[in-house]
Amino acid sequence: MSVNLAKGQQISLTKSGGGELTVVRMGLGWQAAKKGFFARMTAREIDLDASALLFAGKEAVDVVFFQHLTSDDGSVRHTGDNRVGGAGQGGDDESVVVDLQRVPVHVDQIVFTVNSFTGQTFEEVENAFCRLVDETNGQELARYTLTGGGSHTAQIMAKVYRSGSGWQMAAIGTPAEGRTFQDLMPAVAPHL
């Protein structure tokens, strides 16, 4: 059963029958907003990019994005760049797979961001979401739907982080500005 998360809400990543999740996928989907009478013919393609920033405390130690598809330790893997979107409320346009058991012990949080590489704002995006899936069985665990559009070009979406002996997920949903993950680092810092 999937949980629809609200901004700031957190969930444990412990399986309902006990035990810890081993491999999760953070999926991202979106569509170009349709405007006007001829909207279906004039909707523009939008290149949103998902990134996963690995932190040890407040220090960034690695990043996974469309130009660096696998973390240096191999525990986090981006499945590839989608330059047009289109899944919306359906499947994922971009995904990042995290093998929680292989994440090095010094990495205590992984922050997921999305930015408009082509510079369009979220006013031009609709049906944007991120969702966490148990990769071992394909079950959606949690979904965070972006609402409200906005004049920003990026979002700090969510993070998974160590809590005690397991992992948790927090929906962040904070607007930010930037075309790349590097541009977003100042906006990510308050969420560490």
Side-chain angles (χ1 to χ4, degrees), residues 29 53 64 127 134 137 180:
L53 302 117
V64 173
N127 299 325
D134 180 345
N137 63 15
T180 67

Side-chain angles (χ1 to χ4, degrees), residues 72-107:
D72 293 340
D73 58 57
S75 65
V76 181
R77 181 178 47 86
H78 194 296
T79 60
D81 193 16
N82 179 327
R83 296 182 180 171
V84 297
Q89 294 182 0
D92 303 328
D93 290 313
E94 290 195 12
S95 296
V96 177
V97 178
V98 181
D99 185 338
L100 295 168
Q101 294 180 321
R102 291 184 55 201
V103 174
V105 294
H106 69 283
V107 173

Side-chain angles (χ1 to χ4, degrees), residues 39-54:
R40 296 216 182 273
M41 298 185 324
T42 60
R44 294 174 43 190
E45 295 177 345
I46 295 180
D47 182 8
L48 297 184
D49 289 325
S51 301
L53 302 117
L54 288 71

